[in-house]
Amino acid sequence: MGLLDHLTGEVSEQAIFRRSSAIIRHAIKANSMLAETVKGDQKACGMAEAIAHEADRETFSIANSITEGGVAPNLIDDMMRFIDTENNIVDNLSTLSRALCRYKIKERPAAEFVNKRLLSAQSLIDESLKLLLKMHEADTVSAVRRLRARVKDNEKRDDQIKEALLDFAYESKVDYKTFYQITTVAYLSDDVMDGCEDAADMILSIMLSILT
Amino acid sequence: MIGLPIYAVAFLLIALVAGNNVTVCVGTAIAGRIISRKAGIVIAAVGYTAGFLIGGGLLQWGVVQLLSASGQGFVFVAILVSALVFAAAHLLRVPQSFSIVLTMSLLGIDLADSGIPNLGFAVLVIGYWIGAMVVTAALVIALLRYSYRTLRDRSVWPTVSRIRITIIAVSFLASFTFGANTIGLAYATLSVESGNSAYLLATVIAAAIFGSIALSGGELRRIGNEIIALRYLNAAITQSVSVLIVGIATVFSIPISTAQTFTAGMYGASLSYKTRLVLKKPLVSIIATWTGTAIASLILSFAVTKLLLA
């Protein structure tokens, strides 16, 4: 970026935040594919994977911008970890979709229990991703703090869903494949939500680093 | 009128000093990737020249207070001693305080000859060097803590834009005050022997520009590798306070280097954080280097003057 661009255009770190919101938009799409997968749409599996590839390309492009452009050196590592965390959200959603497509729980009560919990988790993830989008566009540190607090609340509620799934897996009399499937999707879903929380923490941390 | 060899030594010395201090003047803007290295060098060169032409004359009174009348013949001893010390600093790629070296060289000549003409002023200068570092650090701490409290509820990106523009502006001002104070000191010292002349003026300006373009590479390459890149706000405040302290010194004809105040400001910035890890070793080593070269300059110029008098 030339000197005049720096003086008159947007700050480089702001540009990175703006571009990385595209990764969150991919995550929102992947999450909606997840809901379709839970409801039984097999086509949604392939679509989630395609979205993940798109997100990988976007992440690579942003990473190049970070290292080549005008981001302050003391923020480069944090920015790289940040976009990596966001990309992992999309990857985990894709992996979760694949896991759901790979094996369908045959026992109806178990399937209904798991699907209901997954849809609740999916709803929390959707809300958190939209909060993350707002955080990307937030203008003040206090606004970012408020949004982050809501993401953290969602993460706590998602933990309860994970615990409920794990309790069910250990307490019910299901075969080993079903047991393994329930624990896998429970942890993958939790990883997605943890990724949202980590991304929220990083946005706040980076903003504080820039401003103070 | 001074001879060509002395012009050559003066040119080399001022070029080395100018090149050595590009890091200090525009390093924060370059390290923060606000401007490119080339743009930084241009800002430094323009700032040096403007500062020297507009404010360089302010140091002439100070030099007269520091150099006895009969010692004027030995001013080239001071220049030669300073050139040797600075060449060594350039090879080692460390920031060096030319103001300390040259001032102590002048005092060394006085001590070997007829004594310091204005001892009170000499004490004031040394006192200002020490006090300036303490005041700079304290001011930076206070301003940063105030800024942390007031900026958190401001819109982030417009604020950061303004801080970045401020950094560019104070980088120019740092170069300006360096030109007025340090290059002004060199010119004032040389003109004691040769008188004000267009040739001397042109030599000094050419040396400053040459030094900033051709001799700043080593120090600038260390930015980001060994010199810690300050955050935007820290850089803006540190550099602003440094400019203020050097500016005040210039008005009162006190020689002081930007490197002194900037180093103190950087430590002030580190100390402003509630939780901090501040390494003492680099500060101790910098102060030791400056003290060592000050003493070496004093002794060397004293010895050479005594030798020539004998």
Side-chain angles (χ1 to χ4, degrees), chain B residues 5-251:
Chain B
I6 301 303
Y7 266 107
V9 171
F11 183 93
L12 181 66
L13 175 62
I14 293 167
L16 278 172
V17 172
N20 200 260
N21 278 274
V22 168
T23 318
V24 176
C25 295
V26 298
T28 48
I30 295 172
R33 290 188 173 188
I34 301 169
I35 55 175
S36 66
R37 220 189 280 178
K38 279 183 192 163
I41 288 170
V42 167
I43 288 173
V46 171
Y48 288 169
T49 308
F52 168 64
L53 287 172
I54 295 169
L58 290 168
L59 270 291
Q60 287 193 318
W61 182 84
V63 168
V64 168
Q65 306 308 306
L66 290 171
L67 186 66
S68 63
S70 55
Q72 285 176 17
F74 300 100
V75 90
F76 302 116
V77 168
I79 296 296
L80 279 167
V81 165
S82 305
L84 281 168
V85 170
F86 242 86
H90 182 71
L91 288 169
L92 293 169
R93 294 192 289 152
V94 293
Q96 184 52 265
S97 176
F98 170 74
S99 302
I100 293 178
V101 167
L102 183 55
T103 305
M104 297 307 283
S105 297
L106 294 175
L107 293 177
I109 293 166
D110 286 337
L111 289 171
D113 188 35
S114 55
I116 300 169
N118 191 337
L119 185 62
F121 183 75
V123 169
L124 172 69
V125 167
I126 295 170
Y128 194 93
W129 290 345
I130 299 165
M133 292 188 72
V134 174
V135 167
T136 302
L139 261 178
V140 167
I141 293 170
L143 285 171
L144 279 174
R145 287 193 176 158
Y146 172 74
S147 299
Y148 297 154
R149 282 198 302 274
T150 53
L151 288 180
R152 285 196 176 200
D153 289 321
R154 297 266 181 94
S155 293
V156 173
W157 305 118
T159 303
V160 170
S161 273
R162 281 194 283 273
I163 293 172
R164 285 161 70 109
I165 291 170
T166 303
I167 290 171
I168 296 172
V170 293
S171 293
F172 173 78
L173 287 173
S175 307
F176 186 96
T177 50
F178 174 84
N181 194 295
T182 306
I183 299 178
L185 172 70
Y187 177 81
T189 305
L190 286 161
S191 65
V192 163
E193 189 75 24
S194 71
N196 290 315
S197 80
Y199 291 116
L200 186 60
L201 201 72
T203 303
V204 168
I205 292 170
I209 294 170
F210 175 78
S212 54
I213 294 169
L215 300 177
S216 58
E219 285 76 19
L220 281 179
R221 271 190 288 278
R222 290 179 74 192
I223 288 175
N225 296 329
E226 295 169 44
I227 299 171
I228 298 165
L230 293 172
R231 295 177 179 184
Y232 291 134
L233 188 63
N234 294 0
I237 288 179
T238 300
Q239 196 71 294
S240 299
V241 172
S242 173
V243 164
L244 176 70
I245 299 295
V246 173
I248 291 171
T250 307
V251 167

Side-chain angles (χ1 to χ4, degrees), chain A residues 21-125:
Chain A
S21 62
I23 303 175
I24 298 300
R25 288 195 182 86
H26 285 310
I28 291 172
K29 269 191 235 165
N31 193 41
S32 66
M33 293 298 112
L34 176 68
E36 298 306 312
T37 308
V38 171
K39 289 168 190 168
D41 183 354
Q42 289 291 115
K43 282 185 211 163
C45 299
M47 290 171 76
E49 205 170 322
I51 292 168
H53 288 317
E54 262 303 308
D56 286 340
R57 276 194 286 275
E58 188 68 45
T59 304
F60 179 73
S61 169
I62 296 171
N64 283 338
S65 297
I66 290 170
T67 51
E68 287 170 359
V71 174
N74 61 316
L75 291 172
I76 287 176
D77 283 349
D78 290 342
M79 287 285 203
M80 295 292 277
R81 264 198 304 275
F82 169 61
I83 59 162
D84 209 43
T85 300
E86 292 196 325
N87 191 41
N88 283 342
I89 295 172
V90 187
D91 287 342
N92 285 335
L93 282 165
S94 168
T95 307
L96 181 54
S97 275
R98 291 289 289 155
L100 288 168
C101 291
R102 187 173 293 119
Y103 178 79
K104 296 284 178 208
I105 297 172
K106 294 177 186 57
E107 299 92 331
R108 197 177 165 136
E112 279 177 5
F113 182 89
V114 169
N115 288 346
K116 191 177 169 188
R117 296 297 175 288
L118 280 177
L119 285 172
S120 301
Q122 186 270 337
S123 172
L124 283 173
I125 291 167

Side-chain angles (χ1 to χ4, degrees), chain A residues 127-165:
Chain A
E127 190 186 321
S128 300
L129 288 169
K130 284 171 180 160
L131 288 169
L132 275 178
L133 258 187
K134 285 187 185 168
M135 286 179 81
H136 277 83
E137 289 147 16
D139 209 27
T140 63
V141 169
S142 41
V144 165
R145 275 192 206 277
R146 280 194 297 272
L147 292 165
R148 174 179 166 263
R150 287 173 62 186
V151 173
K152 285 184 123 40
D153 283 341
N154 284 350
E155 196 274 335
K156 282 182 189 144
R157 285 157 63 193
D158 186 73
D159 274 345
Q160 290 170 354
I161 294 172
K162 179 189 80 177
E163 294 304 320
L165 283 168

